Amino acid sequence: MSATSAGLNVLILAGSRRGIRDPMAQAAGISHKAILPVCGRPMITRVCDALMQVPGLGRVVVCIDSPDAIRDAVPPSVTFIPEAAGPSASVMNALGILGAPLLVTTADHALLRPEWITAFIADSTRANCDMSAGIALDTDIARDVPDTKRTMIRLADGAFSGCNLFFLRTPAAMSVLKLWQRLENDRKHPLRMARLLGLGILLRFVLRRLTRAAVCDRIGHLTGARVGLIPINDGRAAVDVDKPADLELVTRLIGQETTIVHQNV
């Protein structure tokens, strides 16, 4: 995996959007969702465990407003950077500090597997992407986690869900982050977003004529960067912990894995 040969730096997003306390953290009586226990271990601990198994790992940095809240849940080598005004700004700040290549994931990705990461990076590198996003196709989600409900993006060549995995392979990814920030700032103003993306592409989306390749081409046209949507061939990669049903699902899946391991020992 050439991207990791010089050390792959990683950013874990663990803060709260606009400083709003997460409802699941509130319900559990904890300060941050990142330390929500799953089968007795904080979610962010599980994320770090997966990352530490990736060959050639560099620095692991957590973006959070209160490092002391999670310090005991991460390895001593993990460092921290403060949150910025929104996820896109936080990633931009991290890219400026850590440089490319940079892997980005989230603290609530409790099912994260090192093999997903290595395959995602290898596929992104083969595709020569400046920035890529991991996705799970609807067929893989239906096969691997049929009882989950994910937010799906439905295009002409199939539906998919995001996997909270992003690979910023080159410095050109910064231009994509700037576009993301503009869209993030305009998310409550659909007409502004339409003007930015282009009415043609939105019309094709409404008519179900828009493909993944066309989306990537449009972003490339707007940013000058090569962008990819990279499938991860395990539907579980789309599962993060956003609601109680997700926590129940993740707890059950990890419990099943633990039982299988114990039976094989």
PDB file of all heavy atoms in Angstrom, residues 3 9 31 54 110 120 126 139 143 149 167 174 189 191 212 222 227 229 231 235 240 247 258:
ATOM      1  N   ALA A   3       0.495   4.366  -0.321  1.00  0.00           N
ATOM      2  CA  ALA A   3       0.135   5.583   0.402  1.00  0.00           C
ATOM      3  C   ALA A   3       0.602   5.550   1.839  1.00  0.00           C
ATOM      4  O   ALA A   3       0.785   6.590   2.460  1.00  0.00           O
ATOM      5  CB  ALA A   3      -1.386   5.795   0.350  1.00  0.00           C
ATOM      6  N   ASN A   9      -1.119   9.490   7.933  1.00  0.00           N
ATOM      7  CA  ASN A   9      -1.724  10.225   9.029  1.00  0.00           C
ATOM      8  C   ASN A   9      -3.238  10.066   8.986  1.00  0.00           C
ATOM      9  O   ASN A   9      -3.841   9.930   7.909  1.00  0.00           O
ATOM     10  CB  ASN A   9      -1.355  11.696   8.964  1.00  0.00           C
ATOM     11  CG  ASN A   9       0.121  11.928   9.214  1.00  0.00           C
ATOM     12  OD1 ASN A   9       0.755  11.173   9.949  1.00  0.00           O
ATOM     13  ND2 ASN A   9       0.688  12.954   8.603  1.00  0.00           N
ATOM     14  N   SER A  31     -20.404  13.081  28.206  1.00  0.00           N
ATOM     15  CA  SER A  31     -20.163  14.373  27.568  1.00  0.00           C
ATOM     16  C   SER A  31     -20.087  14.290  26.052  1.00  0.00           C
ATOM     17  O   SER A  31     -20.478  15.226  25.355  1.00  0.00           O
ATOM     18  CB  SER A  31     -18.859  14.974  28.105  1.00  0.00           C
ATOM     19  OG  SER A  31     -17.753  14.123  27.809  1.00  0.00           O
ATOM     20  N   VAL A  54      -3.451  -1.012  10.826  1.00  0.00           N
ATOM     21  CA  VAL A  54      -3.188  -0.651   9.432  1.00  0.00           C
ATOM     22  C   VAL A  54      -1.684  -0.502   9.229  1.00  0.00           C
ATOM     23  O   VAL A  54      -1.030   0.257   9.961  1.00  0.00           O
ATOM     24  CB  VAL A  54      -3.907   0.665   9.068  1.00  0.00           C
ATOM     25  CG1 VAL A  54      -3.541   1.101   7.650  1.00  0.00           C
ATOM     26  CG2 VAL A  54      -5.414   0.498   9.198  1.00  0.00           C
ATOM     27  N   ALA A 110     -17.891   2.364  14.946  1.00  0.00           N
ATOM     28  CA  ALA A 110     -17.481   1.324  15.897  1.00  0.00           C
ATOM     29  C   ALA A 110     -17.172  -0.013  15.244  1.00  0.00           C
ATOM     30  O   ALA A 110     -16.484  -0.847  15.849  1.00  0.00           O
ATOM     31  CB  ALA A 110     -18.571   1.142  16.961  1.00  0.00           C
ATOM     32  N   PHE A 120      -9.647   0.257   0.731  1.00  0.00           N
ATOM     33  CA  PHE A 120     -10.113   1.574   0.302  1.00  0.00           C
ATOM     34  C   PHE A 120      -8.957   2.434  -0.189  1.00  0.00           C
ATOM     35  O   PHE A 120      -9.027   3.074  -1.248  1.00  0.00           O
ATOM     36  CB  PHE A 120     -10.841   2.239   1.474  1.00  0.00           C
ATOM     37  CG  PHE A 120     -11.189   3.683   1.279  1.00  0.00           C
ATOM     38  CD1 PHE A 120     -11.939   4.096   0.190  1.00  0.00           C
ATOM     39  CD2 PHE A 120     -10.782   4.644   2.206  1.00  0.00           C
ATOM     40  CE1 PHE A 120     -12.275   5.441   0.014  1.00  0.00           C
ATOM     41  CE2 PHE A 120     -11.117   5.967   2.055  1.00  0.00           C
ATOM     42  CZ  PHE A 120     -11.856   6.379   0.951  1.00  0.00           C
ATOM     43  N   ARG A 126      -5.176   3.335  -6.931  1.00  0.00           N
ATOM     44  CA  ARG A 126      -5.249   2.803  -8.294  1.00  0.00           C
ATOM     45  C   ARG A 126      -6.084   3.707  -9.198  1.00  0.00           C
ATOM     46  O   ARG A 126      -5.797   3.864 -10.391  1.00  0.00           O
ATOM     47  CB  ARG A 126      -5.835   1.396  -8.286  1.00  0.00           C
ATOM     48  CG  ARG A 126      -4.821   0.306  -7.965  1.00  0.00           C
ATOM     49  CD  ARG A 126      -5.365  -1.064  -8.281  1.00  0.00           C
ATOM     50  NE  ARG A 126      -6.483  -1.419  -7.420  1.00  0.00           N
ATOM     51  CZ  ARG A 126      -6.338  -2.050  -6.265  1.00  0.00           C
ATOM     52  NH1 ARG A 126      -5.131  -2.400  -5.832  1.00  0.00           N
ATOM     53  NH2 ARG A 126      -7.399  -2.351  -5.536  1.00  0.00           N
ATOM     54  N   THR A 139     -26.824  -3.169  -2.488  1.00  0.00           N
ATOM     55  CA  THR A 139     -26.849  -4.638  -2.532  1.00  0.00           C
ATOM     56  C   THR A 139     -25.985  -5.244  -1.435  1.00  0.00           C
ATOM     57  O   THR A 139     -26.341  -6.269  -0.844  1.00  0.00           O
ATOM     58  CB  THR A 139     -26.373  -5.123  -3.900  1.00  0.00           C
ATOM     59  OG1 THR A 139     -25.120  -4.486  -4.224  1.00  0.00           O
ATOM     60  CG2 THR A 139     -27.390  -4.797  -4.990  1.00  0.00           C
ATOM     61  N   ARG A 143     -27.235  -7.403   1.865  1.00  0.00           N
ATOM     62  CA  ARG A 143     -26.651  -8.727   2.115  1.00  0.00           C
ATOM     63  C   ARG A 143     -26.085  -8.854   3.525  1.00  0.00           C
ATOM     64  O   ARG A 143     -26.295  -9.866   4.205  1.00  0.00           O
ATOM     65  CB  ARG A 143     -25.537  -8.982   1.094  1.00  0.00           C
ATOM     66  CG  ARG A 143     -24.813 -10.327   1.238  1.00  0.00           C
ATOM     67  CD  ARG A 143     -23.521 -10.304   0.444  1.00  0.00           C
ATOM     68  NE  ARG A 143     -22.584  -9.339   0.990  1.00  0.00           N
ATOM     69  CZ  ARG A 143     -21.661  -8.687   0.255  1.00  0.00           C
ATOM     70  NH1 ARG A 143     -21.572  -8.909  -1.050  1.00  0.00           N
ATOM     71  NH2 ARG A 143     -20.855  -7.820   0.835  1.00  0.00           N
ATOM     72  N   LYS A 149     -31.362   0.601   8.623  1.00  0.00           N
ATOM     73  CA  LYS A 149     -31.879   1.652   7.752  1.00  0.00           C
ATOM     74  C   LYS A 149     -30.820   2.732   7.641  1.00  0.00           C
ATOM     75  O   LYS A 149     -30.479   3.382   8.633  1.00  0.00           O
ATOM     76  CB  LYS A 149     -33.188   2.230   8.322  1.00  0.00           C
ATOM     77  CG  LYS A 149     -34.348   1.248   8.306  1.00  0.00           C
ATOM     78  CD  LYS A 149     -35.628   1.897   8.807  1.00  0.00           C
ATOM     79  CE  LYS A 149     -36.793   0.917   8.752  1.00  0.00           C
ATOM     80  NZ  LYS A 149     -38.056   1.534   9.251  1.00  0.00           N
ATOM     81  N   PHE A 167     -10.323   9.702   1.918  1.00  0.00           N
ATOM     82  CA  PHE A 167      -8.883   9.649   1.707  1.00  0.00           C
ATOM     83  C   PHE A 167      -8.452  10.862   0.920  1.00  0.00           C
ATOM     84  O   PHE A 167      -8.830  11.039  -0.237  1.00  0.00           O
ATOM     85  CB  PHE A 167      -8.501   8.359   0.975  1.00  0.00           C
ATOM     86  CG  PHE A 167      -7.011   8.164   0.815  1.00  0.00           C
ATOM     87  CD1 PHE A 167      -6.136   8.487   1.837  1.00  0.00           C
ATOM     88  CD2 PHE A 167      -6.499   7.647  -0.365  1.00  0.00           C
ATOM     89  CE1 PHE A 167      -4.770   8.307   1.703  1.00  0.00           C
ATOM     90  CE2 PHE A 167      -5.132   7.456  -0.521  1.00  0.00           C
ATOM     91  CZ  PHE A 167      -4.266   7.783   0.510  1.00  0.00           C
ATOM     92  N   MET A 174      -7.614  19.832  -1.058  1.00  0.00           N
ATOM     93  CA  MET A 174      -8.040  21.053  -0.375  1.00  0.00           C
ATOM     94  C   MET A 174      -9.126  21.775  -1.169  1.00  0.00           C
ATOM     95  O   MET A 174     -10.064  22.345  -0.590  1.00  0.00           O
ATOM     96  CB  MET A 174      -6.854  21.979  -0.143  1.00  0.00           C
ATOM     97  CG  MET A 174      -7.185  23.251   0.634  1.00  0.00           C
ATOM     98  SD  MET A 174      -7.732  22.927   2.349  1.00  0.00           S
ATOM     99  CE  MET A 174      -6.125  22.686   3.152  1.00  0.00           C
ATOM    100  N   HIS A 189     -30.067  26.599   2.200  1.00  0.00           N
ATOM    101  CA  HIS A 189     -30.463  27.428   1.064  1.00  0.00           C
ATOM    102  C   HIS A 189     -30.341  26.611  -0.222  1.00  0.00           C
ATOM    103  O   HIS A 189     -29.350  26.723  -0.953  1.00  0.00           O
ATOM    104  CB  HIS A 189     -29.587  28.685   0.992  1.00  0.00           C
ATOM    105  CG  HIS A 189     -29.602  29.514   2.234  1.00  0.00           C
ATOM    106  ND1 HIS A 189     -30.620  30.383   2.549  1.00  0.00           N
ATOM    107  CD2 HIS A 189     -28.711  29.575   3.269  1.00  0.00           C
ATOM    108  CE1 HIS A 189     -30.359  30.962   3.715  1.00  0.00           C
ATOM    109  NE2 HIS A 189     -29.215  30.490   4.169  1.00  0.00           N
ATOM    110  N   LEU A 191     -31.476  26.806  -3.197  1.00  0.00           N
ATOM    111  CA  LEU A 191     -31.244  27.502  -4.463  1.00  0.00           C
ATOM    112  C   LEU A 191     -29.771  27.877  -4.629  1.00  0.00           C
ATOM    113  O   LEU A 191     -29.220  27.802  -5.735  1.00  0.00           O
ATOM    114  CB  LEU A 191     -32.122  28.752  -4.561  1.00  0.00           C
ATOM    115  CG  LEU A 191     -33.614  28.485  -4.752  1.00  0.00           C
ATOM    116  CD1 LEU A 191     -34.388  29.800  -4.812  1.00  0.00           C
ATOM    117  CD2 LEU A 191     -33.858  27.677  -6.025  1.00  0.00           C
ATOM    118  N   ARG A 212     -22.749   7.926 -10.677  1.00  0.00           N
ATOM    119  CA  ARG A 212     -21.641   8.247  -9.778  1.00  0.00           C
ATOM    120  C   ARG A 212     -20.508   8.922 -10.548  1.00  0.00           C
ATOM    121  O   ARG A 212     -19.894   9.881 -10.054  1.00  0.00           O
ATOM    122  CB  ARG A 212     -21.132   6.982  -9.086  1.00  0.00           C
ATOM    123  CG  ARG A 212     -22.145   6.337  -8.166  1.00  0.00           C
ATOM    124  CD  ARG A 212     -21.507   5.363  -7.187  1.00  0.00           C
ATOM    125  NE  ARG A 212     -20.804   4.271  -7.815  1.00  0.00           N
ATOM    126  CZ  ARG A 212     -21.351   3.123  -8.161  1.00  0.00           C
ATOM    127  NH1 ARG A 212     -22.661   2.929  -7.984  1.00  0.00           N
ATOM    128  NH2 ARG A 212     -20.634   2.149  -8.690  1.00  0.00           N
ATOM    129  N   LEU A 222     -15.536  21.542 -10.983  1.00  0.00           N
ATOM    130  CA  LEU A 222     -15.642  22.692 -10.085  1.00  0.00           C
ATOM    131  C   LEU A 222     -14.378  22.920  -9.259  1.00  0.00           C
ATOM    132  O   LEU A 222     -14.121  24.048  -8.821  1.00  0.00           O
ATOM    133  CB  LEU A 222     -16.828  22.499  -9.137  1.00  0.00           C
ATOM    134  CG  LEU A 222     -18.223  22.548  -9.772  1.00  0.00           C
ATOM    135  CD1 LEU A 222     -19.280  22.133  -8.753  1.00  0.00           C
ATOM    136  CD2 LEU A 222     -18.514  23.948 -10.302  1.00  0.00           C
ATOM    137  N   VAL A 227     -11.762  13.147  -8.248  1.00  0.00           N
ATOM    138  CA  VAL A 227     -12.552  12.682  -7.113  1.00  0.00           C
ATOM    139  C   VAL A 227     -13.126  11.302  -7.424  1.00  0.00           C
ATOM    140  O   VAL A 227     -13.488  11.010  -8.567  1.00  0.00           O
ATOM    141  CB  VAL A 227     -13.695  13.677  -6.812  1.00  0.00           C
ATOM    142  CG1 VAL A 227     -14.582  13.170  -5.684  1.00  0.00           C
ATOM    143  CG2 VAL A 227     -13.119  15.044  -6.461  1.00  0.00           C
ATOM    144  N   LEU A 229     -15.716   7.952  -5.853  1.00  0.00           N
ATOM    145  CA  LEU A 229     -16.597   7.288  -4.893  1.00  0.00           C
ATOM    146  C   LEU A 229     -16.217   5.813  -4.937  1.00  0.00           C
ATOM    147  O   LEU A 229     -16.479   5.128  -5.926  1.00  0.00           O
ATOM    148  CB  LEU A 229     -18.063   7.492  -5.263  1.00  0.00           C
ATOM    149  CG  LEU A 229     -18.571   8.938  -5.194  1.00  0.00           C
ATOM    150  CD1 LEU A 229     -19.979   9.043  -5.787  1.00  0.00           C
ATOM    151  CD2 LEU A 229     -18.566   9.436  -3.757  1.00  0.00           C
ATOM    152  N   PRO A 231     -16.340   2.000  -3.739  1.00  0.00           N
ATOM    153  CA  PRO A 231     -17.128   1.006  -2.999  1.00  0.00           C
ATOM    154  C   PRO A 231     -16.272   0.177  -2.046  1.00  0.00           C
ATOM    155  O   PRO A 231     -15.156  -0.234  -2.383  1.00  0.00           O
ATOM    156  CB  PRO A 231     -17.713   0.122  -4.105  1.00  0.00           C
ATOM    157  CG  PRO A 231     -17.656   0.953  -5.344  1.00  0.00           C
ATOM    158  CD  PRO A 231     -16.408   1.781  -5.198  1.00  0.00           C
ATOM    159  N   GLY A 235     -21.170  -4.405   3.534  1.00  0.00           N
ATOM    160  CA  GLY A 235     -22.245  -3.489   3.885  1.00  0.00           C
ATOM    161  C   GLY A 235     -22.149  -2.925   5.281  1.00  0.00           C
ATOM    162  O   GLY A 235     -22.689  -1.848   5.566  1.00  0.00           O
ATOM    163  N   ASP A 240     -22.755   3.481  11.106  1.00  0.00           N
ATOM    164  CA  ASP A 240     -22.199   4.240  12.221  1.00  0.00           C
ATOM    165  C   ASP A 240     -23.292   4.370  13.275  1.00  0.00           C
ATOM    166  O   ASP A 240     -24.421   3.941  13.063  1.00  0.00           O
ATOM    167  CB  ASP A 240     -21.665   5.606  11.780  1.00  0.00           C
ATOM    168  CG  ASP A 240     -22.712   6.413  11.014  1.00  0.00           C
ATOM    169  OD1 ASP A 240     -23.882   5.978  10.964  1.00  0.00           O
ATOM    170  OD2 ASP A 240     -22.376   7.468  10.455  1.00  0.00           O
ATOM    171  N   LEU A 247     -26.987   1.592  17.665  1.00  0.00           N
ATOM    172  CA  LEU A 247     -26.241   1.057  18.810  1.00  0.00           C
ATOM    173  C   LEU A 247     -26.638  -0.391  19.076  1.00  0.00           C
ATOM    174  O   LEU A 247     -25.776  -1.240  19.340  1.00  0.00           O
ATOM    175  CB  LEU A 247     -26.489   1.923  20.043  1.00  0.00           C
ATOM    176  CG  LEU A 247     -25.783   1.483  21.329  1.00  0.00           C
ATOM    177  CD1 LEU A 247     -24.272   1.461  21.151  1.00  0.00           C
ATOM    178  CD2 LEU A 247     -26.171   2.419  22.487  1.00  0.00           C
ATOM    179  N   THR A 258     -17.643 -11.814  18.887  1.00  0.00           N
ATOM    180  CA  THR A 258     -16.947 -12.244  20.105  1.00  0.00           C
ATOM    181  C   THR A 258     -17.278 -13.698  20.427  1.00  0.00           C
ATOM    182  O   THR A 258     -16.401 -14.479  20.812  1.00  0.00           O
ATOM    183  CB  THR A 258     -17.343 -11.334  21.281  1.00  0.00           C
ATOM    184  OG1 THR A 258     -17.030  -9.969  20.961  1.00  0.00           O
ATOM    185  CG2 THR A 258     -16.603 -11.741  22.539  1.00  0.00           C
TER     186      THR A 258
END
